[in-house]
Amino acid sequence: MSDAEHEDFAAESDYIRRAYERLDKSREAAQSITGNVESGVGGTHQARYERDVLADKVRSRLEDLDIGDQSLIFGRIDQTAGDYFHIGRVAVFDELRNPIVVDWRAPIAESFYRATGRQKMGLDRRRHYITRYRELLGIEDEHFTEGQAERTGLKGERTLIAALESGRTGRLGDIVGTIQGEQDEIIRAPLTGAVIVQGGPGTGKTVVALHRAAYLLYTHHFPLAGQGVLVIGPNRLFLTYIEQVLPSLGESGVELTVLGDFVPGARVRGNDPAHIARVKGDLRMLKVMRRAVRQRQRPLRRDLVITYGVQRLRFSVADSEAVIDRTRRRARFHNHGRKFVVEELYEQLAASGRRYDIDAQELRDNLHGSDAIREALEWMWPVISAEQLLHDFYGFRSLQRAAGEKFFGVAVENLYRPRTDDVNDVFWTAHDVPLLDEMNRLVGPTSGSTKDLGLRTYGHIVIDEAQDLSPMQLNMVARRSLGGSMTIVGDIAQATSAWAHESWESVTEHLPTPKGITRHELTVGYRLPGPLMEMATKVLAKAMPNLKAPIAVRSEGDPPRFVETDPDNFGEALARTVAEEREAIGAGNIAIICATGAAEDVSFFLNQAGIDHGVAYAGALEKEVSVIEVSMVKGLELDAAIVIEPDSIVEFEPQGMRSLYVAITRATRRLTIIDTGNSATVLK
């Protein structure tokens, strides 16, 4: 029987049509209210305030109702008691406020995702819809009868496979219609405490974490709407990839960020070599930063003597030592202390007069701008930005030794880099960000103002690819957690940074977990077809022998291809491979994955062949063909992946075999390896 011959096909098509009609009318009503509210002018302050509040609520409702070309309804549950509910992306009601569509996050919808033959949760039937925008294409039913009491497989298997085999768009889509039981358990986990989600390639851990953020905001709107929800990704390419998921689920209030955004104004690009990243990421750098700040709080080298009228006023070296000691105890942060130093300097200069009393404020007014005074203050207690202080620290080995040799020995001098005249020209690395963040905390604003110093905290934080974060980076995140409510996502087998963690315990020891930790492991791989997962399993056995690869949902699929060439013919082989992949996948995206630092070389060969493409940040994922370095490809899913020179990835990445594991597990359909040597033998 074809889908159109299903006995309920016509009735369900009509129901979906009516649901869309009500959705359209709800949008029209909200838009009319918006027009009336925004056109209102004048009135009392209270009236204007109430009008603004109403306008915000209406705009929020419009955002909720704007589902674009996503399917409104994707399922239905029939309860044994006789009631039935259609489950969809947003709630829709009829004229009498009766539910036509139930929001997928509502408690009643839980059984749609969690019910099994063994635990029916009051269901008689679960129905899945295969749709294209507003058109119903197919119906898949699961009956919870006695004969199927042991059913524990995939929910809506045909619907799930259809979604998995559809072409990629270059952006991560939601899975709200195909969420599986083990995923839903994570999504609906309690708000309190830390939830760790360990999942291999293609298990959906990222999209599950995003759905969890949407669910928590729906279920715990108060207090999370005010406290905020933060999602931290590994790089901006990744944020671009996931940016459409939450809006498609009706949530636009979640903040997406990378660690570099924690230091506003800093230009952050790339990573440090492993030996430098290991030093910068060590928690002992907290003590080094404190010592670096104290280096800028110095007693005078000689007495300050000021001629004032017929008197000579003196501020001695001993006086300066005492002032610095007292100021360190009084000041909340370094720049805040400058005013105390200024006050005491003038008070002691005034007190040093012998012939007649001198007013300290009058003295300050008369000597303000004096070169001698300014030089003394700049030596003792300069007002300085976090960026300038860290830039100076990197630029002088003597400062590094004084502050860090006790903790790191001569390795602290690895931090040296030549100074530039203008700190605004500096590009910082991702490993500098926690140091800048700590410097900001210690130094404070250059204005000396105590306003707006409260650190922005969040009611819930999602950390993706957490297995790669250094202790300093994790400490920076921990400071922004309001109560320890976090979703910590990643795969230990894909830990590829200089601070690659071997266990989740070494991650969580640097995060606040006052309300406990709950661990979940996603075991089913949805992205990779069986033949590609088989090869990935072999690489994982060499990279992390103690971990198991996910079980592939799709046993069928194209086997990996190996293209052998030589350096002189590499460009021709690459162009030919891209053409073959385009023909094989039709509409879809292709990523050429190479070792870190090789993207420009690969791009050169593509340009020679006249192949339009994007590179890393510059148009990657926006075009059919993208060149992405392996250090940036983590978390992405692609129709086809072309992995360049496996031996280069293994040799030049900090965690070579793990990085190769990442590279070969990005494709949902086809994987090709191009090799100019014998390195591909590790994959065969």
Side-chain angles (χ1 to χ4, degrees):
M1 180 175 70
S2 68
D3 286 319
E5 293 173 342
H6 190 287
E7 60 181 357
D8 293 335
F9 189 87
E12 293 289 22
S13 294
D14 185 59
Y15 193 96
I16 291 174
R17 178 186 57 77
R18 289 189 291 112
Y20 271 107
E21 288 176 355
R22 285 302 306 167
L23 177 68
D24 292 339
K25 289 181 179 179
S26 296
R27 283 186 52 79
E28 290 170 4
Q31 286 171 338
S32 66
I33 294 174
T34 300
N36 292 334
V37 170
E38 291 181 345
S39 63
V41 294
T44 65
H45 174 76
Q46 178 68 20
R48 291 194 299 272
Y49 172 77
E50 292 174 354
R51 203 158 52 230
D52 290 342
V53 170
L54 178 59
D56 287 340
K57 289 185 176 180
V58 173
R59 279 192 291 268
S60 177
R61 179 59 176 160
L62 276 171
E63 290 174 354
D64 292 345
L65 296 174
D66 184 10
I67 64 172
D69 59 357
Q70 303 291 331
S71 299
L72 172 59
I73 301 176
F74 46 77
R76 166 176 157 170
I77 52 174
D78 293 10
Q79 298 179 327
T80 54
D83 296 325
Y84 66 88
F85 300 91
H86 286 77
I87 312 300
R89 195 170 299 277
V90 295
V92 179
F93 302 90
D94 64 15
E95 295 86 345
L96 301 177
R97 298 299 296 171
N98 295 315
I100 297 177
V101 183
V102 174
D103 191 296
W104 68 276
R105 295 166 290 187
I108 193 76
E110 182 176 354
S111 59
F112 177 77
Y113 299 108
R114 303 283 281 277
T116 66
R118 294 176 178 173
Q119 294 182 326
K120 301 178 184 180
M121 301 181 70
L123 294 193
D124 185 55
R125 180 177 64 184
R126 173 169 49 214
R127 173 167 287 177
H128 300 265
Y129 301 112
I130 302 174
T131 61
R132 182 172 56 236
Y133 188 35
R134 301 191 175 206
E135 180 185 3
L136 178 63
L137 302 178
I139 297 175
E140 180 181 7
D141 285 335
E142 298 175 78
H143 295 275
F144 293 87
T145 63
E146 291 300 325
Q148 294 179 318
E150 297 304 312
R151 182 184 177 94
T152 57
L154 297 171
K155 312 326 185 268
E157 185 170 354
R158 189 160 66 97
T159 308
L160 173 63
I161 296 300
L164 294 174
E165 292 182 348
S166 62
R168 307 298 102 181
T169 65
R171 297 292 187 273
L172 182 63
D174 64 67
I175 59 169
V176 65
T178 58
I179 294 170
Q180 299 298 301
E182 68 172 3
Q183 297 173 327
D184 190 68
E185 183 179 355
I186 297 168
I187 291 169
R188 297 177 191 265
L191 172 65
T192 57
V195 173
I196 295 177
V197 184
Q198 159 69 34
T203 55
K205 54 187 177 294
T206 294
V207 74
V208 165
L210 295 174
H211 282 65
R212 172 165 167 74
Y215 169 79
L216 291 176
L217 270 169
Y218 175 89
T219 308
H220 305 277
H221 189 73
F222 177 82
L224 285 184
Q227 295 174 346
V229 175
L230 179 70
V231 175
I232 302 172
N235 54 60
R236 296 204 182 282
L237 178 61
F238 180 84
L239 293 190
T240 301
Y241 178 61
I242 69 172
E243 65 184 358
Q244 295 178 356
V245 175
L246 286 163
S248 76
L249 297 173
E251 292 297 347
S252 57
V254 177
E255 185 176 342
L256 303 181
T257 187
V258 294
L259 293 179
D261 294 334
F262 287 171
V263 183
R267 299 191 297 172
V268 181
R269 178 185 296 175
N271 296 297
D272 287 299
H275 68 289
I276 297 176
R278 291 292 299 181
V279 175
K280 291 182 179 179
D282 195 303
L283 274 184
R284 290 176 293 178
M285 285 300 293
L286 292 172
K287 296 180 180 178
V288 175
M289 293 297 95
R290 284 195 290 270
R291 291 165 70 100
V293 172
R294 290 174 70 93
Q295 288 173 343
R296 307 305 288 267
Q297 301 164 358
R298 303 164 291 193
L300 294 175
R301 291 170 291 184
R302 55 183 178 274
D303 292 353
L304 172 65
V305 180
I306 299 292
T307 300
Y308 189 67
V310 296
Q311 299 194 73
R312 290 172 64 83
L313 307 180
R314 184 179 299 276
F315 182 72
S316 69
V317 171
D319 290 336
S320 68
E321 290 175 346
V323 167
I324 288 172
D325 185 57
R326 286 193 295 269
T327 302
R328 283 173 175 169
R329 294 195 298 269
R330 296 174 66 188
R332 290 178 54 194
F333 47 87
H334 172 81
N335 288 335
H336 183 229
R338 171 67 170 247
K339 66 178 183 179
F340 300 129
V341 175
V342 171
E343 289 171 1
E344 290 213 33
L345 170 63
Y346 283 110
E347 286 174 0
Q348 296 205 32
L349 280 174
S352 69
R354 297 294 182 226
R355 296 194 176 185
Y356 52 85
D357 292 337
I358 300 175
D359 181 73
Q361 184 58 50
E362 181 182 341
L363 180 66
R364 181 173 180 173
D365 293 340
N366 290 330
L367 295 181
H368 179 69
S370 161
D371 288 343
I373 295 290
R374 188 176 66 253
E375 289 173 5
L377 289 172
E378 287 302 303
W379 176 263
M380 284 193 297
W381 203 282
V383 173
I384 192 168
S385 69
E387 289 83 359
Q388 186 63 61
L389 202 153
L390 188 61
H391 186 47
D392 290 347
F393 176 77
Y394 285 157
F396 294 96
R397 290 189 174 91
S398 58
L399 296 180
Q400 295 159 15
R401 287 192 297 269
E405 193 170 32
K406 173 183 177 181
F407 306 104
F408 296 100
V410 295
V412 73
E413 294 187 38
N414 289 334
L415 302 181
Y416 173 79
R417 67 184 185 196
R419 294 181 72 258
T420 61
D421 293 334
D422 188 350
V423 70
N424 294 318
D425 295 334
V426 173
F427 278 99
W428 305 95
T429 70
H431 301 101
D432 290 324
V433 173
L435 306 185
L436 287 169
D437 187 61
E438 179 64 11
M439 280 294 192
N440 272 324
R441 186 183 72 85
L442 296 171
V443 171
T446 54
S447 65
S449 171
T450 60
K451 295 181 179 179
D452 301 324
L453 286 178
L455 188 69
R456 175 71 166 99
T457 57
Y458 296 85
H460 188 79
I461 298 178
V462 176
I463 316 170
D464 207 344
E465 306 298 350
Q467 76 279 354
D468 278 325
L469 299 185
S470 71
M472 282 293 291
Q473 289 170 327
L474 291 168
N475 176 73
M476 180 172 60
V477 174
R479 293 174 55 214
R480 287 159 171 81
S481 175
L482 187 59
S485 176
M486 293 178 289
T487 303
I488 305 163
V489 183
D491 180 14
I492 294 298
Q494 296 184 68
T496 57
S497 72
W499 276 96
H501 293 272
E502 300 292 330
S503 70
W504 284 111
E505 286 73 20
S506 67
V507 175
T508 55
E509 69 174 297
H510 304 295
L511 294 171
T513 56
K515 297 183 180 179
I517 300 172
T518 305
R519 297 188 57 157
H520 297 266
E521 183 170 3
L522 295 171
T523 59
V524 179
Y526 303 96
R527 181 201 304 140
L528 271 71
L532 302 190
M533 183 63 80
E534 182 179 350
M535 186 175 72
T537 301
K538 294 178 182 178
V539 175
L540 179 62
K542 298 178 181 179
M544 293 288 290
N546 58 326
L547 292 181
K548 292 183 179 180
I551 301 170
V553 165
R554 297 178 291 159
S555 58
E556 304 288 328
D558 293 333
R561 290 199 312 143
F562 292 88
V563 175
E564 296 183 359
T565 185
D566 57 71
D568 292 336
N569 295 300
F570 172 78
E572 181 182 343
L574 176 61
R576 184 174 62 252
T577 301
V578 170
E580 292 168 350
E581 292 305 305
R582 276 176 159 165
E583 182 178 355
I585 67 171
N589 57 25
I590 302 169
I592 302 169
I593 304 172
C594 57
T596 301
E600 290 187 7
D601 293 335
V602 175
S603 179
F604 171 80
F605 287 110
L606 293 176
N607 286 328
Q608 277 195 324
I611 297 174
D612 187 33
H613 63 282
V615 182
Y617 293 115
L621 301 182
E622 296 177 2
K623 299 187 177 181
E624 182 185 15
V625 179
S626 300
V627 180
I628 307 175
E629 296 178 352
V630 69
S631 59
M632 295 181 62
V633 79
K634 198 175 298 178
L636 307 184
E637 61 179 38
L638 311 146
D639 288 294
I642 301 172
V643 178
I644 305 296
E645 301 284 25
D647 62 333
S648 296
I649 293 174
V650 173
E651 180 179 357
F652 295 112
E653 299 299 322
Q655 302 287 336
M657 287 301 295
R658 295 192 199 181
S659 293
L660 182 58
Y661 179 63
V662 170
I664 65 173
T665 54
R666 299 303 98 199
T668 63
R669 295 167 62 186
R670 291 173 59 85
L671 172 66
T672 302
I673 311 296
I674 298 182
D675 179 37
T676 60
N678 298 315
S679 64
T681 56
V682 72
L683 299 175
K684 292 181 179 178

